Amino acid sequence: MSIPLTSLEPGEVARLADTRLDTETRSLLRSLGLTDASRLRVCKRGDPFIIQVRDTRIGVSRKVAGGIFVVHEDDETRRA
Amino acid sequence: MTVPAADASTIEHARSTAASRIVLLGNPNTGKTTLFNALCGARAKTSNFPGTTTSIRSGRCDLDGVRLEVVDLPGVYDLRYHSPETRIARDVLGGALAERPDVIVVTIDACNLTRNLVLVGELLAYGQPLVIALNMVDIAQRRGLTLDAGEMSRRLGAPVVPTVARTGAGLDALTSAIVAAASGHAPVMRPDNLPGADETTEALTAWADDMVAHSVSGARYALEHDTLTERLDRAFTHPILGVMVFVGIMGGLFWTLFTLASVPMDLIEVTFAGLGDFIRAQLPAGPVRDLLTDGIVGGIAGTVVFLPQICLLFFLISLLEDTGYLARAAFVMDRLLYRFGLPGQAFVPLLTAHACALPAIMSTRLIPGRRDRLATILIAPFMSCSARLPVYVLLTSLIFADRPAFAALAFAGCYLLGGLAGLFSAALLGRTVLKGRARPMVLELPTYKFPSFTNAVLTARDQGVTFLQTAGTVIVAICVVMWWLSAYPKVAPGPEVQALRAQAAAPGLPAEQVEVLTARADTLQNRAEQAGSIAGRAGGLIEPFFRPLGFDWQLTVGVLTSFLAREVFVSTMSVLVGGGGEADVDAGVVDRIRTMTRNDGTPVFTTATSASTLVFFVLAMQCLPTLAVTRKETGRLKYALLQLGYMSAVAYVAALIVHQTLRAAGIS
């Protein structure tokens, strides 16, 4: 069950499930390390929304954060 | 660490061949520029990549007697993303710069290996000799990571050299590896498990993860958080606190800029004035002397005087950028700018535009997305650049003669008016010519670091050189042409002037009276020359168009000449009232200009006219070099013409409204 990134609290870890973003933005995020199914951690909510992917901290505007959908890590393991 | 030793024979081989071409690549924020500066230092030069306006730095260095030509490419995250920087990187790798590079040196951040190794994987696919600088190993060690460069090197099939570019550690080993690779003795191997060029970024990332798993031990991928960084981020991007910090830092930046730059600027003005006087004393009066002193020396002085501000601004911006703060500031500004259809990244160019629009427009390449870049370029000249400063000083002190507090307020109001005009114009552009909204912000937030003084000095120097190359020649040419237009055709002294001079030549007059008579004759002659010159006649012809703004023919001449470069306004007006054409606004010039009269004897600078002129100068596009750079950066003449037409129209209408309103209110 994918949920919006914006519903996570700071410190929560999740896995990227889906994006509803324009291709340019999606491709920039991918270049920054947010590849499909990558793990991310929420550092800060609001605008900018700050996430950490591996060792990269990425700031995104509220609008972009709203287009990112994730699954909780435990959901992932349960399905597997 | 397995660096193939550069033995005597390989060095001999490299020495016998021409300079080897080295290309530096790497993700942004990996210390690549620091590495380049350590290799080439002050001998580097900046030039535009052929056919683009993206500047690349190149330099030479001699290592163990081997000559290397090093090109520093703009930072890229990978080679797939569509941006001007990645296109350039791909072009260079494909041989766009005359020949393909001999060795690619890729700088990778030891603290962020997976993402950096994705780029390495892409580069390995090119099959060219690769040397990997594993940078910032000191920070990685402090974080408890153990990096096995030898294992990494074996798996990648390319030398991996641990470095700390900031301190110079590991540079010797790196240069040996580069020399060995350049000599062609190190075999180029492609790792067996490397995904093909057509594979996804996800496949490359999995490969990079595997590489990291085999060569790094310690705390990896716990997504551990850095409490200090997170606290600072929260403060700097906070809706209220973040704005306060931003205003504080930018206020400090501008205060430093204007305080420190004024010293060398005064020095430059005094030096060139002295040079002009010296030439005047050496040469006989005539057109050659006038051309040299008023045209060429004046033109060069008018260009060089902006150099301190531009260099200092870039020095300060480079320091700020190095600390990592600018990325946070971009988000603070994004909340404001996004409403006007501009991206947060536009704030650096708009900040720069307060010194000069030229480097501002050149720095818009930081902005991803052509629409956003165009919008920023088109509105950047609305910001009050330093060339407007003397005009603001002159006109505000004309309006508020004995009320310096009001003059200061009006002065600040000019900056505000320019900024607001820019923002609202961006919003208008977004609804008309450049349909659409700004791209939503996505930005890496680099780790906070102590800034590099050397990098800042070299950036300031590079930007100064670029400014002189781009603007210098154009501004000098304009000044020469302007001087010619306002000095020719020569006008013979009229009967009134001749009578005054005859009176002054009469024997037995006291010296003071001779001086007064001669000065009056000079003023009359100057006015007659101005009116009779090509510029003066054009002013007379176009005057009816500017009359609703309260301009007379002299003011029209001043405004017309300033369409090429607005800073000449003060000197033109000064010439018209019989001064020596000083560009400096001192009390004498202000008083003389205040007493300027129209042909009917009434003062030129009434309050209403001064105010409308001031508004006109805040908003008008009066800078030929900016138009040239806009054309070059956008690649289309139509954008330069749009900028000129739109800003002129806005300036005219606003000045008209100001003048008519003030007159209707009984202020004249």
Side-chain angles (χ1 to χ4, degrees):
Chain A
M1 221 346 242
S2 77
I3 52 167
L5 175 68
T6 46
S7 65
L8 297 187
E9 289 300 317
E12 276 193 90
V13 176
R15 206 172 271 279
L16 180 67
D18 185 21
T19 55
R20 284 166 220 165
L21 297 166
D22 60 289
T23 36
E24 285 286 307
T25 303
R26 175 68 196 106
S27 122
L28 176 56
L29 282 169
R30 181 177 278 119
S31 291
L32 285 166
L34 191 70
T35 46
D36 291 345
S38 55
R39 280 180 79 205
L40 60 91
R41 181 178 156 275
V42 176
C43 303
K44 177 192 167 290
R45 292 170 47 85
D47 196 8
F49 202 100
I50 303 175
I51 55 172
Q52 186 180 346
V53 184
R54 293 195 174 81
D55 297 295
T56 310
R57 298 162 61 75
I58 308 172
V60 298
S61 64
R62 198 196 296 269
K63 206 177 162 202
V64 174
I68 298 175
F69 296 85
V70 295
V71 286
H72 271 301
E73 280 267 57
D74 42 339
D75 287 356
E76 182 87 348
T77 35
R78 211 175 302 141
R79 212 183 315 149
Chain B
M1 173 163 61
T2 54
V3 180
D7 57 278
S9 70
T10 62
I11 290 175
E12 207 45 58
H13 173 83
R15 209 175 263 155
S16 64
T17 57
S20 300
R21 289 174 304 276
I22 312 295
V23 162
L24 285 190
L25 260 171
N27 285 1
N29 311 310
T30 51
K32 185 171 63 69
T33 303
T34 311
L35 185 69
F36 176 83
N37 289 340
L39 285 175
C40 300
R43 284 165 294 175
K45 61 177 198 296
T46 305
S47 56
N48 278 354
F49 185 72
T52 72
T53 52
T54 302
S55 61
I56 49 173
R57 304 207 304 151
S58 57
R60 278 165 183 265
C61 63
D62 289 295
L63 299 171
D64 310 327
V66 179
R67 171 159 286 191
L68 302 178
E69 272 175 28
V70 189
V71 174
D72 184 21
L73 292 180
V76 291
Y77 290 108
D78 59 20
L79 298 175
R80 292 155 197 247
Y81 181 61
H82 293 283
S83 71
E85 289 75 23
T86 45
R87 196 170 318 120
I88 285 172
R90 280 197 302 264
D91 285 353
V92 170
L93 295 172
L97 286 179
E99 282 170 88
R100 295 180 77 169
D102 295 314
V103 182
I104 302 164
V105 179
V106 53
T107 316
I108 63 175
D109 177 358
C111 304
N112 197 344
L113 272 175
T114 303
R115 199 192 69 201
N116 281 264
L117 283 171
V118 168
L119 177 64
V120 173
E122 287 182 309
L123 291 172
L124 282 168
Y126 275 85
Q128 271 166 298
L130 195 67
V131 173
I132 296 149
L134 180 61
N135 199 24
M136 302 197 256
V137 282
D138 53 338
I139 302 175
Q141 272 159 6
R142 246 178 281 144
R143 289 196 191 169
L145 303 182
T146 312
L147 302 141
D148 188 345
E151 178 63 19
M152 211 183 282
S153 176
R154 199 183 59 73
R155 286 178 173 270
L156 291 171
V160 176
V161 186
T163 57
V164 184
R166 208 166 32 80
T167 63
L171 280 188
D172 286 343
L174 182 69
T175 51
S176 304
I178 294 173
V179 169
S183 68
H185 284 210
V188 182
M189 293 180 303
R190 193 177 185 283
D192 304 330
N193 58 348
L194 181 70
D198 49 351
E199 287 276 10
T200 59
T201 308
E202 277 72 14
L204 264 173
T205 307
W207 168 82
D209 266 338
D210 183 56
M211 185 68 55
V212 172
H214 284 95
S215 50
V216 179
S217 54
R220 295 300 296 178
Y221 300 145
L223 284 179
E224 73 269 51
H225 61 286
D226 178 344
T227 329
L228 179 65
T229 303
E230 294 202 349
R231 246 183 232 164
L232 285 175
D233 278 354
R234 264 201 294 278
F236 289 155
T237 61
H238 190 271
I240 297 156
L241 186 60
V243 174
M244 282 161 63
V245 171
F246 180 84
V247 170
I249 289 181
M250 293 306 146
L253 185 128
F254 273 99
W255 184 82
T256 315
L257 183 65
F258 287 123
T259 317
L260 290 187
S262 67
V263 179
M265 285 172 90
D266 290 346
L267 209 65
I268 287 168
E269 276 172 4
V270 170
T271 311
F272 277 96
L275 183 65
D277 290 343
F278 174 76
I279 295 174
R280 215 166 280 132
Q282 301 301 310
L283 293 175
V288 176
R289 189 179 84 171
D290 290 350
L291 172 68
L292 276 176
T293 53
D294 297 340
I296 295 175
V297 173
I300 295 173
T303 312
V304 175
V305 78
F306 296 116
L307 210 51
Q309 274 198 353
I310 288 170
C311 289
L312 193 60
L313 180 69
F314 275 100
F315 174 80
L316 296 171
I317 288 181
S318 169
L319 286 183
L320 266 186
E321 190 177 12
D322 258 10
T323 61
Y325 174 70
L326 281 193
R328 280 77 181 179
F331 277 104
V332 172
M333 288 309 283
D334 187 54
R335 285 194 283 262
L336 170 72
L337 295 178
Y338 189 75
R339 284 168 217 205
F340 296 95
L342 291 169
Q345 290 99 327
F347 101 89
V348 177
L350 295 184
L351 188 72
T352 313
H354 284 91
C356 179
L358 298 176
I361 291 174
M362 289 189 273
S363 68
T364 52
R365 64 182 171 82
L366 295 164
I367 301 170
R370 182 167 165 82
R371 193 214 81 92
D372 296 355
R373 203 173 303 158
L374 279 175
T376 313
I377 289 174
L378 288 177
I379 63 136
F382 271 119
M383 306 303 124
S384 291
C385 64
S386 47
R388 284 180 177 98
L389 266 174
V391 184
Y392 289 2
V393 172
L394 172 72
L395 292 169
T396 51
S397 46
L398 282 176
I399 300 171
F400 298 106
D402 306 312
R403 287 168 290 175
F406 282 99
L409 216 58
F411 194 84
C414 291
Y415 276 82
L416 190 67
L417 176 64
L420 288 178
L423 289 182
F424 284 104
S425 299
L428 186 69
L429 284 170
R431 274 155 228 269
T432 52
V433 187
L434 301 170
K435 280 233 164 28
R437 299 187 67 87
R439 285 251 296 272
M441 281 264 282
V442 172
L443 207 58
E444 181 185 4
L445 297 174
T447 31
Y448 293 103
K449 300 201 288 288
F450 198 76
S452 154
F453 186 78
T454 320
N455 284 358
V457 168
L458 291 173
T459 305
R461 195 205 59 163
D462 284 352
Q463 292 291 343
V465 170
T466 311
F467 167 75
L468 285 184
Q469 283 168 347
T470 322
T473 44
V474 185
I475 296 179
V476 172
I478 288 170
C479 287
V480 172
V481 170
M482 269 317 307
W483 162 81
W484 187 81
L485 287 179
S486 52
Y488 287 89
K490 285 288 181 201
V491 177
E496 207 181 338
V497 175
Q498 281 174 342
L500 279 168
R501 292 213 197 281
Q503 231 180 313
L509 270 187
E512 312 92 80
Q513 214 173 329
V514 173
E515 218 169 276
V516 171
L517 288 170
T518 316
R520 198 157 0 129
D522 285 349
T523 306
L524 280 174
Q525 175 65 14
N526 269 329
R527 281 174 59 99
E529 278 181 4
Q530 281 288 338
S533 70
I534 299 173
R537 286 178 201 183
L541 209 65
I542 298 169
E543 193 231 328
F545 179 70
F546 282 107
R547 204 175 290 151
L549 275 56
F551 297 3
D552 78 327
W553 73 268
Q554 303 171 88
L555 196 44
T556 307
V557 172
V559 169
L560 280 186
T561 56
S562 57
F563 259 91
L564 299 174
R566 50 174 73 86
E567 55 272 26
V568 302
F569 178 73
V570 177
S571 57
T572 307
M573 296 323 277
S574 168
V575 166
L576 283 170
V577 290
E582 300 99 308
D584 223 7
V585 186
D586 58 31
V589 174
V590 175
D591 281 341
R592 275 206 302 281
I593 291 176
R594 196 195 310 281
T595 58
M596 260 178 106
T597 52
R598 293 168 194 254
N599 288 345
D600 61 7
T602 57
V604 171
F605 284 102
T606 61
T607 302
T609 299
S610 303
S612 68
T613 312
L614 185 59
V615 168
F616 190 87
F617 270 89
V618 171
L619 302 172
M621 169 73 247
Q622 298 166 300
C623 183
L624 196 63
T626 300
L627 287 176
V629 171
T630 297
R631 194 215 157 288
K632 210 171 124 200
E633 292 285 325
T634 57
R636 297 268 169 78
L637 181 63
K638 74 169 185 185
Y639 288 115
L641 294 177
L642 173 69
Q643 196 173 43
L644 175 67
Y646 172 73
M647 289 182 67
S648 306
V650 169
Y652 185 90
V653 172
L656 179 71
I657 292 170
V658 167
H659 190 254
Q660 297 301 334
T661 311
L662 286 179
R663 279 179 57 106
I667 302 163
S668 65

